[in-house]
Amino acid sequence: MEAGRPASAAGQGESSSSSGAMAVYAAGGVEKPRFEALMPSEMSGGRPQFRKVPVPQHRFAPLKKAWMDIYTPVYEHMKIDIRMNLKARRVELKTRQDTPDVSNLQKCADFVHAFMLGFDIADAVALLRLDDLYVDSFEIKDVKTLRGEHLSRAIGRLSGKGGKTKYAIENSTRTRIVIADTKIHILGSFVNIKVARDSLCSLILGSPAGKVYSKLRAVSARLAERY
């Protein structure tokens, strides 16, 4: 009797496996398991994720003035909690239970960071809507070591009279540029940032604006043909 038990158990196993096989092979092929995407609240053990963006001293007043313009797209559209920590002097971001995508947290952090660098709200908010936008930063001394009046003239060449040169580079490369003392920040796509950075480096090295304009026209024409 005891010897018959394994045989009966094996028979039951075969019947169950055959029924399982029928369920899997009913459509004529192996069916892959389908898992639903995890919500951000379910990642990292269900704990919320955080980002902290420091606020420079000279950006407190602009941040206070434009707070609602920053708060509205972050909280209502991206579903990310945001608050200003006055004691630590930083903007804190946190995911919520209803955050649709975990990448929204990093997008919001990049958006706030771009505003702290000096970009306008209308330009920085594009980081929330588009995926292929980046912010690239470098200093004049990274290109060429300049001091005193030579450094002042280089900054003047970058801006041009009334910002003419800077606006020309922005419009031809579809980027946004912030010149903050000796630091330069560029917002745009990867290819366009490279073109704008090459033009700015040429100006820093001493090229006249007319030569940079002609080179920009040629590069812009090639980019228009490519896309």
Side-chain angles (χ1 to χ4, degrees), residues 69-184:
D69 295 331
I70 296 174
Y71 176 87
T72 302
V74 171
Y75 184 81
E76 296 185 359
H77 301 301
M78 305 299 284
K79 308 295 184 185
I80 296 291
D81 283 339
I82 179 173
R83 74 173 183 180
M84 176 64 198
N85 190 331
L86 290 173
K87 188 174 182 180
R89 292 188 175 183
R90 64 193 180 198
V91 176
E92 298 177 348
L93 303 158
K94 185 186 76 169
T95 55
R96 288 159 35 187
Q97 292 290 332
D98 58 341
T99 303
D101 191 355
V102 72
S103 64
N104 287 4
L105 181 63
Q106 187 59 46
K107 285 183 180 180
C108 293
D110 293 340
F111 165 59
V112 176
H113 179 64
F115 177 78
M116 299 305 169
L117 293 177
F119 292 100
D120 293 335
I121 291 288
D123 298 330
V125 78
L127 288 165
L128 301 178
R129 298 172 179 164
L130 302 174
D131 291 331
D132 60 341
L133 290 185
Y134 309 94
V135 176
D136 185 30
S137 302
F138 66 96
E139 294 190 45
I140 292 178
K141 67 180 182 180
D142 297 335
V143 181
K144 187 178 183 181
T145 303
L146 299 171
R147 295 184 182 88
E149 293 184 358
H150 297 288
L151 179 60
S152 301
R153 282 195 292 269
I155 296 174
R157 283 197 302 273
L158 293 176
S159 297
K161 186 178 180 179
K164 176 184 175 183
T165 304
K166 182 174 82 79
Y167 293 141
I169 295 175
E170 286 180 343
N171 294 332
S172 59
T173 59
R174 298 177 185 176
T175 57
R176 289 295 176 265
I177 300 170
V178 170
I179 301 174
D181 196 16
T182 61
K183 294 183 179 179
I184 302 169

Side-chain angles (χ1 to χ4, degrees), residues 53-64:
V53 182
V55 182
Q57 183 66 38
H58 68 282
R59 296 300 290 173
F60 263 105
L63 177 63
K64 185 177 180 181

Side-chain angles (χ1 to χ4, degrees), residues 195-212:
V195 175
R197 189 173 61 237
D198 290 344
S199 301
L200 293 172
C201 290
S202 298
L203 289 170
I204 293 172
L205 293 172
S207 296
K211 188 174 181 181
V212 174

Side-chain angles (χ1 to χ4, degrees), residues 1-10:
M1 294 293 291
E2 292 180 358
R5 284 179 183 175
S8 61

